[in-house]
Structures are given as structure tokens and as C-alpha cells.
């Protein structure tokens, strides 16, 4: 469009100086310029609008972020639930079809493992009879080094004596078992017992109930896993001697021992001949028990009191075949240790002692060692000697043994073989620090009441030749324990005076 524009002031023309003329208002007046105050208000309104816009944008961004988090959270929960459902389905599947890497469910086989090695796999129908699992005792004999003799109709299995050779003849000192074929019995060291399951012959092999291992053998574990179709047999480790560098196994032996009477021990080992009370009647002591221990009285103070005065040391030895016939399990064995055993009277007297200690508020006492067989003591002594040699390679074996003799004994010289000695404390470390525990102080004052004495006192090491052992207690019965306590003697001194008639 050219020319004058009637719609614009001055026909749309600029003023002579090039500036746009002021537009008149509706009344024909020029437009008024905004004041500084108005400009400030306008600028403030503009900034407020921008701030509100930015705020709303941030809120929208946060809302989107929150929605994403909710989505991913729900997605994670969904994945977890899905994983749980899949695991449950897998478990149900395994339970329903009983499929494991070690068992073919269609094969019907039972696999036998000895010390972790698979030895054989047999048809389940030959291994499980009336729900009772059986194992081949010949395999077990090979695993632990037992010798075999006799025929398949009455095989005899021998555990060689310490240091002996497992041949078929033996030396007469071995432990043994005989399984009469097709009988529910076994002959263990001359004692006939009834067992679960009939002894069976498969070819030239003897198969016996798995329960026989658990009930009548020590040093072994035998477990049947029906789900996996496995029988696993393994040696038990000695938790005292086993280290990170060396594993020491407990000796394999039978729970039933040859019946050996005390008369078979040399006379020098047993003061007295009849075991009957002699001399004046025992005086009445003020015992002040908290508990009613009347049912234990005959055990704490036996009538045949001299029988339990047996002295065993480096002069008075026990034969390696000696094992008490009245050993029973000690229920106060420390947790995590193999169940210890003591002779009946010593064990019952110890139960009374423990009950009274607990009534006094002492609950941490536990038994760590009781009966030890000749073979176990021999292994223990040899292991201690090896430890001393390892600590000081410059020692000769004889020198190492002399060090060991200050805190342990040779086989045949250990009181633990009598079944009358017990190692007990609150520490479980066989440390002389037990001397400073309140339980030790209580035992010093009260052990005699239950028939026990501290066997190796601190001030008698020159006589006993054994260092102070605050944890080692010996059952002799209350009659003798009270005299030993009053006179402040060790057992060697007391027995000598008793033999000479100085003590009645």
C-alpha cells in the first residue's frame, strides 16, 4: 500500500525528524508514558510469572520422576514375586520327581560313600529291608583297617591293637565282632547282644544294619539319606588334636569291651583285697547340701569304698586290655564334644556334684574328658610329642617326650583309663587360669563331699610328676576323699600311708 494511510495518524507518515509521532488516545490526546513505579510493577509481575512457570515445570518433572520410581518399584516387586514362585515351583518339581545329580530315580540304586569316596552302588531292594538300611561290613573293615577271619557263615572282624598288624590271627588283645549269619545278634568282645535286622549274606559278604554302627561303634559316623539314595560313612575327628595343618581322627572301637575284673590288675594297683570297710565306722559329716541328694548317697559314699582307691601312675600301670565294664555316658559333657563316659559310681557322684553347683549358681561347668582307652591315650601322647618336636626341631624325641610327661602320661599310666578321672572346668582350654575362677574355689571346698579329689595339686608336682592341673579330678569315694582333703595329701602319699597302716 502506498500513499497516505487514513487508518494511521498523520497518514502513517513519520514525523520530519524520523521519530514515530505520539499516538493520540481515544480522546485524541497523545498516549501517556508509564511512570517508573508502573514499570517496576510490570517487571515484578513478569518475574513472578516466570517464577511460577519454572515452579510448575519443576513440579511436572518431579511428578514424572516419581511415576518412574513407582513403576520400577512395582517392577522389582513383580520380579521378586516371580523368582519366589519359580523357586517354589522348582522345589515342588524336585520333591515330586525326586531327581538329584547323584541319583537316577529309575535306577533304584543305593550308593555307598566311605570317607567321601564312592565305593559301590547296589540295588535298593538288597540294601533296604523293612525300611532299615544295611551296609556291607567288609567295606567298612577295609575302610578302617580291620582284619577278617572265619567264613562267611560267621565272619570275625578284628580292630588291631595299637601298633599291631591287622592280620587274621591277631595277638589276642584286639577288639572284635562276630556276626552269626541270619541271626539278630552279634558277639562283641565276648558279649552277645541283640541287634536290629538279621545279619545277611550276599555272596561272600556280610551285610548288617546301619544302626549297628551308631549304637555299638565309636569314632565313626554312618548316615543314610533316603532322598538322595546315599549311605555315607566317615571317621570322626579329634577336635582337641586336629589343627589347620593336620587332621587327627578318633580311634575306631566298640562300645562294649572285654569283661575284665579288677582282680586282673596287679595287686600293687589296688590297695586292699576285699573292698570291704575296715576299722572304725565313718564319722558323720555336716554336708549342708541345698538339694535332696539322698538318691545319690550310695554313689558318693560307696560301701565297697576301697575298690575306688586304685592308684595309676608311672609305677602302677594298667594293661592295654583293661576297660571298665560299667562305663556310662556323662550327660554333663561339654557341648560340641563327643559324649564322654565314666564308671557308674563316679558318673552318678558327678551328677550330684553338678546339681549342687547349679543350685549354688554355677552353670558353666562342663566335662571335657572322661574315660580314655589305652589306644587313645597312646595316640594322644604321640601327638603331643609330635607337637613339641614341631615347635622345637632341635629336640630329640626322648627330650620331647620328657616335656610331654609334665602335662600328659604314657598309655597305661593314665588315670583316665580307669574311668574314674574327669577333666572339667568353665574355660574348656585346660588352662591353669581356671584356678582363679569361683567354680574352682567351690570345688576345693566341696569336691570331697561327692567323693572327688584334686588329683594333681600345685604343691605336689615333685611327687605326682605332673604339673598342676586345676581341672583334673579323681573319684575315690567320700570316705577316702575326706581324709585326703583333711590331711592335704596327694593320692600317691595317701595310698602309701594307707598300705603301711598309718591310715585306717
Amino acid at each position: 500500500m502506498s500513499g497516505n494511510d487514513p487508518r494511521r495518524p498523520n497518514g502513517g507518515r513519520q514525523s520530519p525528524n524520523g521519530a514515530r509521532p505520539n499516538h493520540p488516545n481515544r480522546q485524541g490526546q497523545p498516549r501517556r508514558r508509564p511512570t517508573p513505579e508502573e514499570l517496576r510493577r510490570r517487571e515484578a509481575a513478569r518475574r513472578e510469572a516466570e517464577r511460577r512457570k519454572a515452579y510448575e515445570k519443576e513440579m511436572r518433572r518431579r511428578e514424572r520422576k516419581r511415576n518412574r520410581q513407582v513403576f520400577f518399584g512395582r517392577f522389582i516387586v513383580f520380579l521378586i514375586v516371580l523368582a519366589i514362585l519359580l523357586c517354589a515351583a522348582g522345589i515342588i518339581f524336585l520333591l515330586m520327581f525326586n531327581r538329584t545329580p547323584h541319583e537316577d530315580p529309575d535306577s533304584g540304586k543305593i550308593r555307598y560313600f566311605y570317607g567321601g569316596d564312592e565305593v559301590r552302588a547296589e540295588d535298593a531292594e538288597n540294601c533296604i529291608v523293612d525300611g532299615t538300611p544295611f551296609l556291607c561290613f567288609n567295606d567298612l573293615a577295609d575302610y578302617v583297617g580291620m582284619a577278617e577271619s572265619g567264613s562267611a557263615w560267621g565272619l570275625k572282624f578284628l580292630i588291631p591293637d595299637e601298633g599291631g598288624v591287622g592280620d587274621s590271627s591277631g595277638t589276642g588283645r584286639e577288639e572284635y565282632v562276630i556276626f552269626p549269619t541270619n541271626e539278630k545278634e552279634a558277639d562283641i568282645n565276648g558279649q552277645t547282644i541283640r541287634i536290629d535286622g538279621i545279619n545277611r549274606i550276599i555272596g561272600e559278604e556280610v551285610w548288617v544294619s546301619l544302626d549297628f554302627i551308631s549304637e555299638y561303634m565309636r569314632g565313626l559316623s554312618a548316615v543314610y539319606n533316603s532322598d538322595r539314595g546315599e549311605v555315607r560313612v566317615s571317621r570322626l575327628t579329634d577336635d582337641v588334636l586336629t589343627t589347620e595343618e593336620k587332621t587327627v581322627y578318633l580311634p575306631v572301637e566298640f562300645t562294649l569291651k572285654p569283661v575284665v575284673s579288677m582282680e586282673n590288675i596287679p595287686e600293687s594297683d589296688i590297695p586292699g583285697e576285699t573292698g570291704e570297710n575296715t576299722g572304725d565306722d565313718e564319722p558323720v559329716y555336716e554336708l549342708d547340701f541345698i538339694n535332696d541328694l539322698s538318691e545319690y548317697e550310695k554313689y558318693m559314699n560307696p560301701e565297697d569304698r576301697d575298690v575306688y582307691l586304685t592308684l595309676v601312675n608311672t609305677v602302677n600301670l594298667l594293661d592295654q586290655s583293661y576297660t571298665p565294664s560299667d562305663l556310662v555316658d556323662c550327660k554333663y559333657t561339654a557341648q560340641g564334644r563327643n559324649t564322654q563316659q565314666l564308671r557308674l559310681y563316679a558318673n552318678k557322684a558327678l551328677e550330684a556334684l553338678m546339681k549342687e553347683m547349679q543350685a549354688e549358681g554355677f552353670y558353666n561347668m562342663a566335662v571335657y574328658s572322661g574315660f580314655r582307652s589305652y589306644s587313645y591315650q597312646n595316640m594322644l601322647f604321640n601327638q603331643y610329642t609330635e607337637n613339641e618336636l614341631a615347635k622345637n626341631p632341635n629336640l630329640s624325641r626322648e627330650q620331647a617326650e620328657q616335656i610331654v610327661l609334665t602335662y600328659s602320661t604314657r598309655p597305661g599310666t593314665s588315670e583316665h583309663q580307669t574311668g574314674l578321672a574327669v577333666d572339667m572346668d568353665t574355660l574348656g582350654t585346660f588352662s591353669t587360669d581356671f584356678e582363679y575362677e569361683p567354680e574352682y574355689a567351690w570345688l576345693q571346698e566341696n569336691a570331697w563331699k561327692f567323693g572327688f579329689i584334686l588329683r594333681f595339686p600345685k604343691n605336689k608336682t615333685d611327687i605326682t610328676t605332673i604339673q598342676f592341673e586345676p581341672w583334673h579330678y579323681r573319684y575315690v569315694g567320700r570316705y577316702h576323699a575326706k581324709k585326703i582333703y583333711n590331711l592335704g595329701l596327694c593320692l600317691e602319699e595317701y595310698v602309701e600311708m594307707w598300705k603301711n597302716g598309718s591310715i585306717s
Side-chain angles (χ1 to χ4, degrees):
M1 182 181 296
S2 62
N4 294 334
D5 186 351
R7 292 174 298 179
R8 296 183 179 181
N10 297 324
R13 294 171 299 180
Q14 293 184 344
S15 59
N17 59 2
R20 182 173 292 180
N22 292 331
H23 295 279
N25 56 22
R26 292 182 178 180
Q27 286 75 27
Q29 298 296 326
R31 178 177 295 177
R32 181 178 62 83
R33 292 180 177 275
T35 65
E37 182 63 27
E38 290 175 332
L39 291 174
R40 284 195 295 272
R41 286 198 299 270
R42 290 177 182 178
E43 180 64 20
R46 184 186 65 77
R47 287 197 298 268
E48 176 64 21
E50 290 179 350
R51 186 193 65 78
R52 186 178 297 108
K53 183 177 180 181
Y55 174 77
E56 292 174 351
K57 182 178 180 181
E58 176 66 17
M59 290 299 101
R60 288 193 297 272
R61 185 188 69 78
R62 293 184 180 183
E63 181 66 21
R64 288 194 298 271
K65 180 179 180 181
R66 193 160 42 245
N67 290 339
R68 287 196 300 269
Q69 290 175 338
V70 171
F71 171 78
F72 283 116
R74 290 175 178 174
F75 183 70
I76 295 294
V77 172
F78 169 76
L79 291 179
I80 293 174
V81 173
L82 180 62
I84 293 174
L85 292 176
L86 290 175
C87 290
I91 293 173
I92 293 174
F93 179 83
L94 290 175
L95 292 176
M96 289 180 61
F97 294 95
N98 195 26
R99 295 182 183 271
T100 68
H102 297 284
E103 180 184 358
D104 181 356
D106 298 325
S107 68
K109 296 285 187 179
I110 302 296
R111 290 177 168 83
Y112 289 84
F113 295 82
Y114 289 82
D117 297 327
E118 184 173 349
V119 173
R120 68 165 67 212
E122 294 287 343
D123 293 336
E125 61 183 12
N126 294 330
C127 307
I128 309 296
V129 180
D130 296 330
T132 300
F134 280 66
L135 61 72
C136 175
F137 205 84
N138 304 73
D139 290 344
L140 179 66
D142 292 339
Y143 174 55
V144 301
M146 299 174 69
E148 302 177 18
S149 64
S151 67
W153 299 102
L155 268 180
K156 181 178 183 179
F157 297 89
L158 299 89
I159 300 177
D161 59 326
E162 187 65 27
V165 179
D167 55 35
S168 59
S169 59
T171 63
R173 295 188 299 270
E174 299 87 356
E175 294 189 10
Y176 68 88
V177 62
I178 300 175
F179 295 106
T181 305
N182 297 329
E183 297 288 344
K184 283 190 174 183
E185 63 181 36
D187 180 350
I188 301 177
N189 293 323
Q191 302 184 58
T192 301
I193 59 166
R194 299 286 294 176
I195 60 177
D196 294 332
I198 297 175
N199 305 323
R200 301 166 58 231
I201 291 292
I202 300 179
E204 295 296 321
E205 298 173 334
V206 177
W207 287 68
V208 300
S209 166
L210 197 67
D211 294 336
F212 177 85
I213 311 301
S214 303
E215 295 181 19
Y216 297 106
M217 298 191 75
R218 294 197 192 101
L220 288 172
S221 170
V223 178
Y224 170 57
N225 187 323
S226 58
D227 292 334
R228 301 175 69 87
E230 295 177 355
V231 172
R232 290 186 174 268
V233 181
S234 58
R235 297 281 300 272
L236 298 179
T237 58
D238 188 320
D239 49 10
V240 174
L241 299 179
T242 294
T243 63
E244 293 182 358
E245 294 78 20
K246 184 177 181 180
T247 300
V248 179
Y249 294 102
L250 292 171
V252 175
E253 55 189 359
F254 295 110
T255 57
L256 297 179
K257 304 297 181 180
V259 178
V260 180
S261 67
M262 295 295 285
E263 296 163 351
N264 290 334
I265 303 176
E267 183 178 351
S268 61
D269 295 337
I270 307 177
E273 298 178 357
T274 63
E276 298 176 356
N277 290 338
T278 59
D280 298 332
D281 292 338
E282 180 185 358
V284 177
Y285 305 115
E286 190 65 34
L287 300 174
D288 296 325
F289 290 143
I290 297 176
N291 295 296
D292 178 9
L293 300 178
S294 56
E295 63 176 302
Y296 295 97
E297 183 61 25
K298 69 176 182 179
Y299 301 106
M300 296 184 290
N301 190 31
E303 292 183 3
D304 296 334
R305 61 195 185 195
D306 297 342
V307 170
Y308 300 99
L309 203 59
T310 304
L311 177 62
V312 177
N313 53 25
T314 56
V315 178
N316 304 283
L317 281 65
L318 290 175
D319 186 82
Q320 63 178 332
S321 65
Y322 174 70
T323 300
S325 59
D326 58 346
L327 290 173
V328 293
D329 290 345
C330 178
K331 71 177 183 179
Y332 289 99
T333 299
Q335 186 175 7
R337 293 185 70 87
N338 294 317
T339 302
Q340 299 298 303
Q341 291 189 313
L342 293 171
R343 291 188 62 183
L344 175 63
Y345 271 62
N347 189 64
K348 286 292 187 180
L350 182 65
E351 285 186 15
L353 182 148
M354 289 293 192
K355 286 178 179 288
E356 195 68 8
M357 287 198 77
Q358 292 180 1
E360 294 276 6
F362 301 115
Y363 295 97
N364 295 325
M365 285 292 292
V367 172
Y368 290 88
S369 186
F371 167 75
R372 296 179 194 158
S373 66
Y374 183 98
S375 60
Y376 181 79
Q377 186 66 30
N378 187 49
M379 181 188 68
L380 199 65
F381 186 84
N382 289 335
Q383 185 61 49
Y384 287 152
T385 302
E386 294 296 333
N387 292 344
E388 293 296 338
L389 289 172
K391 287 191 295 185
N392 187 354
N394 294 324
L395 293 175
S396 66
R397 188 168 190 84
E398 182 179 358
Q399 290 172 327
E401 289 180 351
Q402 290 303 314
I403 295 175
V404 173
L405 287 172
T406 64
Y407 58 85
S408 185
T409 58
R410 296 184 188 277
T413 68
S414 171
E415 281 197 325
H416 284 283
Q417 192 179 347
T418 67
L420 301 174
V422 56
D423 290 340
M424 58 181 178
D425 65 13
T426 59
L427 305 177
T429 57
F430 299 123
S431 169
T432 54
D433 289 343
F434 179 57
E435 175 188 7
Y436 306 107
E437 297 296 314
E439 289 85 350
Y440 174 78
W442 187 92
L443 286 171
Q444 294 314 291
E445 184 178 349
N446 297 283
W448 67 268
K449 300 176 183 178
F450 306 88
F452 289 91
I453 62 170
L454 177 65
R455 181 61 181 92
F456 302 114
K458 180 183 293 186
N459 61 340
K460 301 291 183 179
T461 57
D462 57 328
I463 300 173
T464 64
T465 71
I466 299 295
Q467 67 181 10
F468 173 49
E469 293 188 354
W471 59 83
H472 185 114
Y473 289 82
R474 163 65 191 276
Y475 175 79
V476 294
R478 185 188 297 148
Y479 177 83
H480 294 296
K482 175 62 175 176
K483 292 180 181 293
I484 293 172
Y485 172 77
N486 284 339
L487 295 172
L489 302 174
C490 66
L491 189 58
E492 281 81 0
E493 294 173 309
Y494 181 80
V495 169
E496 184 64 28
M497 294 176 67
W498 190 89
K499 282 184 178 181
N500 294 335
S502 302
I503 299 176
S504 59

